[in-house]
Amino acid sequence: MEVVSENGLRIDRPLLTVTHLTQLLNYITGFGGLIVPLILWLTTRDQVDGMDQHGKAIVNLQLSLILYVVLSIPAILLLGLGILTLILTGILGFLLPIVNAVRAGRGEAPSYFMTIPFIS
């Protein structure tokens, strides 16, 4: 039996959780951490309750991480601060999807701090 929310959308917490975890493809294959969640979000945002909110948060995080990496490369010349930024970006890019996958499994809203709201 399919569970439907008040607004008529299907509730699919496992799909929301998997969508967050697909960001980790960057660490496994080197790419796909933006493309796969983007495809999942665009194809299911009108059918799954919460997918639009979670999808926007995922895309905003991935775009923010890309921007931070691009900006930290020239910052390496400034006393090595770019290296620290790259390390922190790598750690946040690994931990935040896991934390928010757990939150999605509980039915909570995503919480990505330090993200630039490219898509609102």
Side-chain angles (χ1 to χ4, degrees):
M1 182 174 154
E2 188 172 287
V3 180
V4 179
S5 68
E6 302 152 356
N7 54 4
L9 299 176
R10 131 180 97 106
I11 297 174
D12 194 351
R13 289 185 186 163
L15 180 61
L16 292 175
T17 302
V18 167
T19 305
H20 283 283
L21 292 177
T22 56
Q23 296 175 80
L24 299 177
L25 285 172
N26 285 339
Y27 295 95
I28 298 169
T29 63
F31 65 95
L34 174 62
I35 297 167
V36 175
L38 181 64
I39 292 170
L40 286 171
W41 170 53
L42 292 175
T43 57
T44 61
R45 67 179 170 189
D46 297 329
Q47 300 152 355
V48 176
D49 188 38
M51 180 58 85
D52 195 44
Q53 179 186 16
H54 286 267
K56 287 177 183 177
I58 291 169
V59 171
N60 285 334
L61 172 69
Q62 289 300 312
L63 292 175
S64 296
L65 290 175
I66 291 169
L67 181 65
Y68 296 149
V69 167
V70 168
L71 292 177
S72 65
I73 291 172
I76 291 173
L77 300 174
L78 300 171
L79 302 171
L81 293 177
I83 294 173
L84 181 62
T85 307
L86 284 174
I87 293 170
L88 291 174
T89 302
I91 292 170
L92 287 177
F94 185 78
L95 292 179
L96 288 177
I98 295 170
V99 168
N100 282 294
V102 172
R103 291 177 62 98
R106 293 182 188 160
E108 300 173 9
S111 172
Y112 287 116
F113 64 92
M114 293 182 52
T115 59
I116 302 166
F118 295 103
I119 302 170
S120 56

